[in-house]
Every structure is written in structure tokens, then in C-alpha cells.
């Protein structure tokens, strides 16, 4: 199986490396030459353009920032759609608007190319160790045929429904993650303000009903003041924009997502857009006038 891979950012680069570890024939492309060179040093073929990453491939995988980038890479003037052969498959692992996924799939179908939308959750650490969670939309037969490929990069690979359903599930995931991080931040600040060590509060509640994967991933970062990006504030703003757009189109109430979105936008304007989304704690620190640390 010949695989093309476009998008070697924080997530895409380790994901591509995990495909190489599993012996796949991989050709990679990114706008940043250094990223291509790094993955090529691990055994991938380096593509100089989109055409070289797509032409003759059985599967093309994309891991890009948002809907406009995926649409441009696939359907633009130099887009991959014109180079993919009938019977090939696009697996888009980007987190984008479900409407865009369906538009791209419809355009590819006219050329005899199948598509799965397969966004992921888990951030950089799980991308590195190959334990991401994939939420997949598309035809069941196409999903089953390519599930082993996704399992090279993820511990959980779940088909949610038809095309676009994967990105619907990812939007739901991002609501839960955003609200959870905000709740953890609020709780740690409350504990400190009440004179109890926030580290002690975390250790006390993590084993109970309040405990979560999000808390265990983000509370230690907050308590150490480490906001190095695993998933940037600006990317979560992008996802919540897609949440709110999707919610508006179906008249779904999203008061919590809307509130956290406003908090993240304030952090963006404070220069924290490139910080990890655990930096939501800084919103509370700004209001309280003090830092939360272990």
C-alpha cells in the first residue's frame, strides 16, 4: 500500500513516524521543509509538492489546521483531487467543519475517490506514543478496510456514522475537553483561595467522580506552570468556532461552549494563543490576581 501524507505539524509528524514504524511505504509533504526532512530521515520519501504526495497513492492522509486548508489542498488549483486515481481513498484526520467534510467527499466521489473523515483526540503525547482516539465517518466497508492503518496511530478507532460524523464527534469531544479544563482551573483556584493546597485538592478528587483523563493530563501542567503547547489555545478556538457554527445550523444550545470560547478569546488577546489550552487557568489567575501552583 502506497500512502501519501500531507501536514507534518505537532500532530502529523509523530503520526507519520508511527506509520513508518509499522512498515508502510510513505511519502510526505509539508510547507515546512525541515518537517519533511525530519520524517524523511526516518524512512519516508520526501515530496516537493502536493502532486508528488498524491499521484499514484492508494491512500492520501491529511492532517491540516482547518477547513480552508483541507479544501485548498484537496480541491484548489494545485489540489490533490486531480492527481488521485479512481479507487484511492482520502483519510482526512484534520478537525474541520462537518459540512466541509461532506463537500470534499462529494467532489471526490465524482472522481471515483472514497473518503473517511477521521479526526483525532489525545494531543501530542498520544500522537507520539500511537494511542490517539480516532472518530471516523464514512462507508463501513471503507472504514473496515483501513482500520488497521489507523490502529498504527491510535488505541481507539471508532466509526461514528457516514461522512462528516467523525467531525461531529470531534466537535462534541472538544466541548467536553474545553469545559473540563475550565472546570479544573476554577476548582484549583477555589481550593487555593480557601487556603487548601491546589495539589492536595487535585490528588483528593482525581480518584472520585470528578476524576477524568483531561484532569490527569492538564492539572499537573497547571500546577507546574508548564503551558508548552500540546494543543494550542488558538486551535481550540478554531474548534469551538466550528462547534458554534454547527450548533447554530441545527439550533443546538451551547451556553457552556460559548462561555469557554469567550475565555479563550480573552487569552488570545492577552498573547496566550500559542499556549496549551491548559492555560485557561491564566484566565482565572487574571481575575483572582494570583497564580495557582503546587
Amino acid at each position: 500500500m502506497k500512502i501519501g501524507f500531507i501536514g507534518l505539524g505537532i500532530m502529523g509528524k509523530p503520526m507519520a513516524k508511527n506509520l513508518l514504524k509499522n512498515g508502510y511505504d510513505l511519502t510526505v509533504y509539508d510547507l515546512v521543509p525541515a518537517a519533511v526532512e525530519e520524517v524523511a530521515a526516518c524512512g519516508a520519501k520526501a515530496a516537493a509538492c502536493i502532486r508528488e504526495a498524491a499521484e499514484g497513492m492508494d491512500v492520501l492522509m491529511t492532517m491540516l489546521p482547518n477547513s480552508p486548508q483541507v479544501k485548498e489542498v484537496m480541491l484548489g488549483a494545485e489540489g490533490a483531487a486531480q492527481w488521485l486515481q479512481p479507487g484511492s481513498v482520502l483519510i482526512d484526520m484534520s478537525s474541520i467543519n462537518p459540512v466541509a467534510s461532506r463537500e470534499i467527499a462529494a467532489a471526490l466521489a465524482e472522481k471515483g475517490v472514497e473518503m473517511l473523515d477521521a479526526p483525532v483526540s489525545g494531543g501530542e503525547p498520544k500522537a507520539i506514543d500511537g494511542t490517539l482516539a480516532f472518530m471516523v465517518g464514512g462507508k463501513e466497508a471503507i472504514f473496515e478496510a483501513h482500520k488497521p492503518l489507523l490502529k498504527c496511530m491510535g488505541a481507539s478507532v471508532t466509526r461514528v456514522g457516514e461522512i462528516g460524523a467523525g467531525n461531529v464527534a470531534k466537535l462534541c469531544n472538544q466541548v467536553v475537553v474545553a469545559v473540563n479544563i475550565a472546570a479544573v482551573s476554577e476548582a484549583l483556584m477555589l481550593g487555593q483561595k480557601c487556603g487548601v493546597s491546589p495539589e492536595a485538592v487535585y490528588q483528593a478528587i482525581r480518584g472520585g467522580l470528578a476524576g477524568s483523563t483531561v484532569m490527569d493530563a492538564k492539572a499537573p501542567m497547571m500546577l507546574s506552570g508548564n503551558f508548552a503547547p500540546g494543543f494550542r489555545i488558538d486551535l481550540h478556538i478554531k474548534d469551538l468556532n466550528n462547534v458554534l457554527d454547527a450548533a447554530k445550523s441545527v439550533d443546538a444550545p451551547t451556553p457552556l461552549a460559548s462561555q469557554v470560547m469567550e475565555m479563550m478569546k480573552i487569552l488570545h488577546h492577552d498573547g496566550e494563543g500559542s499556549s496549551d489550552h491548559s492555560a485557561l487557568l491564566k484566565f482565572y489567575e487574571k481575575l483572582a490576581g494570583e497564580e495557582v501552583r503546587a
Side-chain angles (χ1 to χ4, degrees), residues 189-212:
M189 178 60 78
L190 173 64
Q192 179 165 295
K193 281 287 193 180
C194 290
V196 178
S197 160
E199 171 69 30
V201 170
Y202 165 55
Q203 294 298 338
I205 68 177
R206 63 185 296 228
L209 191 59
S212 67

Side-chain angles (χ1 to χ4, degrees), residues 27-271:
T27 300
V28 298
Y29 175 69
D30 192 273
L31 291 174
V32 179
V36 176
E37 292 168 7
E38 181 178 337
V39 180
C42 297
K45 299 180 182 70
C49 60
I50 292 172
R51 177 176 180 173
E52 290 183 12
E55 194 168 29
M57 299 299 164
D58 301 301
V59 176
L60 177 63
M61 310 185 88
T62 47
M63 189 63 177
L64 299 164
N66 203 358
S67 307
Q69 289 82 11
V70 180
K71 291 178 79 171
E72 179 63 24
V73 163
M74 293 309 304
L75 307 179
E78 302 297 324
Q82 61 191 301
W83 311 116
L84 290 173
Q85 60 197 5
S88 60
V89 177
L90 166 68
I91 302 179
D92 177 38
M93 303 175 295
S94 319
S95 296
I96 68 175
N97 193 309
V99 173
S101 294
R102 292 168 183 145
E103 290 174 355
I104 295 165
L108 293 178
E110 294 178 0
K111 300 176 179 293
V113 176
E114 298 285 354
M115 177 178 170
L116 298 173
D117 66 303
V120 302
S121 179
E124 185 183 17
K126 290 184 178 292
I128 291 170
D129 63 23
T131 58
L132 291 166
F134 281 86
M135 296 148 271
V136 188
K139 295 178 183 176
E140 187 167 5
I142 303 299
F143 167 75
E144 291 295 340
H146 295 85
K147 187 175 181 179
L149 182 60
L150 298 178
K151 290 287 284 184
C152 294
M153 300 174 286
S156 170
V157 180
T158 305
R159 180 178 178 268
V160 187
E162 297 301 323
I163 196 74
N167 272 303
V168 171
K170 178 59 187 287
L171 295 184
C172 295
N173 179 87
Q174 293 305 79
V175 171
V176 173
V177 171
V179 173
N180 203 331
I181 294 174
V184 171
S185 301
E186 192 165 307
L188 295 180
M189 178 60 78
L190 173 64
Q192 179 165 295
K193 281 287 193 180
C194 290
V196 178
S197 160
E199 171 69 30
V201 170
Y202 165 55
Q203 294 298 338
I205 68 177
R206 63 185 296 228
L209 191 59
S212 67
T213 301
V214 172
M215 179 185 285
D216 282 338
K218 300 303 176 180
M221 295 179 67
M222 295 173 180
L223 293 170
S224 66
N226 171 23
F227 302 109
F231 192 80
R232 294 184 176 94
I233 288 279
D234 281 347
L235 285 176
H236 215 133
I237 288 173
K238 177 266 294 186
D239 285 345
L240 291 181
N241 267 323
N242 285 335
V243 166
L244 299 179
D245 285 346
K248 183 177 180 181
S249 70
V250 296
D251 197 26
T254 52
L256 293 177
S258 298
Q259 185 60 51
V260 179
M261 172 66 142
E262 293 305 311
M263 294 159 64
M264 287 187 172
K265 286 166 67 176
I266 289 170
L267 290 170
H268 169 84
H269 289 297
D270 285 348

